[in-house]
Amino acid sequence: MAQVLLQAHHRLLELLRHQYPTTSSPQAAALAASVVLVVLVLVRRLAATPSTTTAREQLLSRLPSPPSRLPVIGHLHLVGSLPHVSLRDLAAKHGRRGLMLLRLGAVPTVIISSPSAAQAVLRTHDHVFASRPYSAIADIIFYGSSDIVFSPYGEYWRQLRKIATTHLLTNKKVRSYRHAREQETMLLVTKVREAAMAHTSVDLTELLNEFSNDVFCHAVSGKIFKEEGRNRLLRELGEINSALLGGFNVEDYFPVLAKLDIVKRILCAKAQDVNKRWDELLNKLIHAHESRLVSERDGEESDFIDVLLSVQQEYNLTRDSIKAQLVIMLEAGTDTSFIVLEYVMVELMRNPRVLAKLQSEVRTAIPKGKEIVTEDDLSGLTYLKAVIKETLRLHASAPLLVPHLSTADCDIDGYTIPSGTRVLINIWALARDPNYWESPEEFMPERFMEGGSAAHMDFKGNDFSYLPFGSGRRMCPGINFAMGMIEGMVTNLVYHFNWELAPELADKGIDMTESFGVTLHRNEKLLLVPVVPH
Ligand code: HEM
């Protein structure tokens, strides 16, 4: 027993160090891990009444699960720094029919790893699995989880979803932000052209991140988004949110800790702090919108703040709820779109044949000499669409989707998943499964072209081995917004420039090491030399 507790302590220590890398000395971290372990063991002892073998426990115990479970931390020690990879390997060994149960700390979590199990969860029983587990951090950052992504399934969420799909992210609205997208595209192309003239490299990671951030800031808060460096501040705050939401949060796996006020105060202090900073900034932005006269709008398209204020009464939205939607829209859209953009360029650089073919398509279809390629020029670019689809297959920004939660007992293929179980759908594993994909590790856009093995597939949630945006009620409502941005930017990058690896990367190639947070992203910067073609 002492040996297993020691192992649990060691793993807890690693996890705490990961969560609080800069704030704790080794001694303080070891002490914190010991305190957490003692508290958890005590709480477990106190809670170990006959009710622990409830009907729910009995159902859980029938689900396929790895045998090596430690006290307190459960299977957490089996999950490495790239959870989607560990989960795929564990499921191959211990899963049955695409289902596997892991005890992540105190939280039973079902991992879905086959298209048929994904279909059962996201389509057949979608209504049962459409809720979200509680997250102490999300609760602070999103004003009591009152945002569309983390709010539990129910009437309130339905209203938010309606606002998103009928007011904020309709095709018409997405088209109306076109001017903002093209303006930001122009800024980026100009910067790259300057570098090309000077024969220097560009940090494309940074440029694309900035582009994506600015397009969203513009959509959310209109023309004033750059005043007083607000776009930079919004980006900084967004990055802090991502780090907090994506880190290993002890309180998510040991919810009992989040209930202890003193522990909550310590663990959630950073989230409180960033929420305060968001609140100040959003109050200013909302106030500026409220006090702006119609005559000052100068024909400008209404932004997310205008839209939310205009439907406030109709949907009975509180001020906090409006702020929660603004924070989540920036969070949900910016990072995901930037990651896809960067990976498209990474894959094009790693596959010169594909880059050449894409350039040929783009430069044949679009007349020479355009200052900027607009969204009108994109129809008919079938290889471009195939390149983006293939990038989304290999590099889903959210490899485990956002966690789902069951709200009733539900039978799937002979197993019963009890109510209140957290469910992760490993779409990364589904999209690389050799049972469903030919040469799954290869970047082959042709598979999505006419005559290819995946020609009929789209990302609209109908093909359960290919779900980069999820499927069902909780599916991403921002696909059109994202596609408008990604297609436009990639086309401009390959239309205007030829690309070479920067000298720093020329010898060693592009490092594909990734980190997992809320989203999955590369660690190293993409440094490239742009060349203006003759
Ligand atoms: C390439 C870019 C994007 C990718 C890959 C992506 C992917 C996803 C995924 C996987 C989910 C979770 C689905 C689930 O839990 O089952 C999601 C949810 C969501 N996405 Fe996106 N997304 C992208 C862009 C956007 C954009 C541009 C917006 C908004 C402007 C957006 C807004 C949302 C919202 C609001 C949700 C939560 C829906 C809900 O819980 O009801 N996303 N997205």
Side-chain angles (χ1 to χ4, degrees):
M1 184 64 180
Q3 178 68 23
V4 237
L5 277 177
L6 212 63
Q7 243 183 304
H9 180 270
H10 181 67
R11 182 63 182 140
L12 256 180
L13 183 57
E14 272 175 22
L15 295 168
L16 282 171
R17 281 217 188 108
H18 182 68
Q19 186 181 10
Y20 303 105
T22 51
T23 48
S24 50
S25 67
Q27 293 85 348
L31 186 65
S34 309
V35 171
V36 169
L37 194 61
V38 169
V39 171
L40 288 168
V41 170
L42 283 177
V43 171
R44 228 169 75 109
R45 282 267 158 84
L46 288 173
T49 61
S51 64
T52 37
T53 43
T54 54
R56 178 164 191 262
E57 266 307 315
Q58 280 179 11
L59 290 177
L60 287 172
S61 67
R62 289 186 204 130
L63 295 173
S65 185
S68 44
R69 179 176 154 200
L70 293 178
V72 181
I73 66 167
H75 294 110
L76 269 178
H77 62 297
L78 300 178
V79 183
S81 58
L82 294 175
H84 51 293
V85 181
S86 320
L87 296 183
R88 184 216 20 212
D89 298 345
L90 285 168
K93 237 175 156 180
H94 305 287
R96 299 275 176 283
R97 298 177 211 148
L99 293 176
M100 172 180 68
L101 173 74
L102 291 184
R103 311 276 186 154
L104 300 180
V107 179
T109 304
V110 165
I111 316 298
I112 300 292
S113 316
S114 76
S116 62
Q119 179 162 359
V121 166
L122 297 173
R123 175 161 291 169
T124 319
H125 305 290
D126 184 20
H127 59 293
V128 175
F129 292 98
S131 207
R132 301 287 194 206
Y134 173 82
S135 149
I137 296 287
D139 206 52
I140 297 168
I141 293 181
F142 300 112
Y143 298 82
S145 304
S146 63
D147 64 295
I148 180 175
V149 174
F150 289 94
S151 59
Y153 183 59
E155 191 45 37
Y156 174 73
W157 168 79
R158 255 191 290 276
Q159 295 292 316
L160 295 179
R161 186 82 193 184
K162 198 166 160 205
I163 296 174
T165 52
T166 61
H167 298 283
L168 293 175
L169 300 169
T170 58
N171 280 343
K172 186 165 169 246
K173 203 78 203 129
V174 170
R175 270 199 305 277
S176 78
Y177 298 129
R178 174 191 162 145
H179 181 62
R181 283 193 292 275
E182 288 176 359
Q183 209 173 315
E184 295 305 323
T185 304
M186 180 79 100
L187 282 175
L188 186 144
V189 168
T190 307
K191 280 185 199 161
V192 177
R193 187 169 288 124
E194 282 165 11
M197 295 305 174
H199 305 289
T200 55
S201 58
V202 290
D203 177 349
L204 208 55
T205 301
E206 173 56 25
L207 288 179
L208 292 176
N209 201 344
E210 190 182 20
F211 162 76
S212 184
N213 179 68
D214 286 359
V215 167
F216 278 97
C217 291
H218 203 148
V220 165
S221 63
K223 261 193 193 159
I224 59 170
F225 80 101
K226 279 188 185 164
E227 281 173 18
E228 299 167 19
R230 282 173 183 149
N231 54 335
R232 285 194 297 278
L233 180 55
L234 283 163
R235 180 168 161 192
E236 184 197 331
L237 296 180
E239 283 170 359
I240 300 177
N241 277 3
S242 299
L244 287 170
L245 290 165
F248 169 83
N249 291 311
V250 180
E251 57 282 11
D252 284 347
Y253 297 99
F254 304 102
V256 70
L257 287 178
K259 288 195 187 126
L260 303 175
D261 207 40
I262 171 93
V263 180
K264 188 171 179 177
R265 254 185 285 152
I266 299 168
L267 294 177
C268 299
K270 271 193 197 170
Q272 307 272 16
D273 180 56
V274 74
N275 172 252
K276 207 166 144 239
R277 294 179 68 197
W278 271 107
D279 203 58
E280 278 165 21
L281 177 58
L282 292 172
N283 279 337
K284 267 195 205 162
L285 287 171
I286 293 175
H287 181 70
H289 279 68
E290 283 173 327
S291 52
R292 194 166 48 157
L293 297 172
V294 176
S295 56
E296 288 171 21
R297 288 174 184 256
D298 195 19
E300 197 191 336
E301 261 311 319
S302 55
D303 54 49
F304 284 11
I305 298 183
D306 293 319
V307 174
L308 287 169
L309 288 174
S310 73
V311 299
Q312 183 174 10
Q313 307 274 321
E314 186 186 342
Y315 289 89
N316 217 358
L317 294 177
T318 63
R319 183 55 60 109
D320 280 357
S321 169
I322 291 182
K323 288 186 235 172
Q325 309 326 312
L326 295 172
V327 181
I328 198 66
M329 283 299 168
L330 282 162
E331 198 71 43
T334 309
D335 216 20
T336 45
S337 307
F338 148 66
I339 288 170
V340 177
L341 268 172
E342 193 202 28
Y343 268 117
V344 171
M345 291 308 289
V346 165
E347 288 296 358
L348 291 177
M349 294 310 295
R350 282 158 44 100
N351 296 278
R353 175 195 68 81
V354 177
L355 174 58
K357 189 166 166 182
L358 179 61
Q359 275 176 324
S360 159
E361 174 179 80
V362 167
R363 291 177 187 170
T364 308
I366 302 168
K368 221 174 162 184
K370 287 198 106 179
E371 195 178 4
I372 182 173
V373 179
T374 67
E375 291 171 21
D376 293 336
D377 300 314
L378 304 182
S379 64
L381 297 180
T382 49
Y383 197 62
L384 168 76
K385 292 186 195 328
V387 166
I388 295 172
K389 275 184 170 176
E390 180 69 339
T391 306
L392 283 164
R393 181 184 71 80
L394 278 175
H395 306 289
S397 329
L400 301 172
L401 299 182
V402 178
H404 286 237
L405 183 80
S406 63
T407 48
D409 291 359
C410 187
D411 290 342
I412 292 184
D413 214 354
Y415 291 108
T416 305
I417 299 179
S419 175
T421 305
R422 199 164 175 264
V423 177
L424 299 178
I425 297 124
N426 194 345
I427 61 160
W428 179 87
L430 296 176
R432 290 175 181 241
D433 188 332
N435 292 315
Y436 308 102
W437 298 92
E438 194 189 322
S439 311
E441 300 297 327
E442 271 179 50
F443 187 77
M444 289 190 334
E446 284 73 11
R447 73 176 85 236
F448 287 106
M449 299 288 283
E450 213 179 313
S453 55
H456 58 284
M457 283 203 182
D458 64 29
F459 40 59
K460 303 278 170 68
N462 301 311
D463 298 295
F464 290 87
S465 55
Y466 183 54
L467 298 169
F469 296 99
S471 177
R473 282 159 221 237
R474 286 285 188 164
M475 186 176 179
C476 178
I479 298 182
N480 290 340
F481 198 124
M483 282 303 140
M485 254 174 89
I486 295 168
E487 289 179 359
M489 177 47 79
V490 172
T491 310
N492 272 287
L493 290 176
V494 302
Y495 171 82
H496 288 293
F497 308 104
N498 293 336
W499 294 93
E500 290 164 8
L501 288 181
E504 300 92 306
L505 301 187
D507 289 340
K508 54 178 185 155
I510 298 178
D511 186 342
M512 296 297 278
T513 314
E514 295 175 321
S515 290
F516 183 89
V518 195
T519 48
L520 181 67
H521 53 86
R522 284 176 58 258
N523 292 345
E524 285 217 344
K525 291 186 173 304
L526 182 61
L527 304 175
L528 298 181
V529 179
V531 179
V532 177
H534 299 296

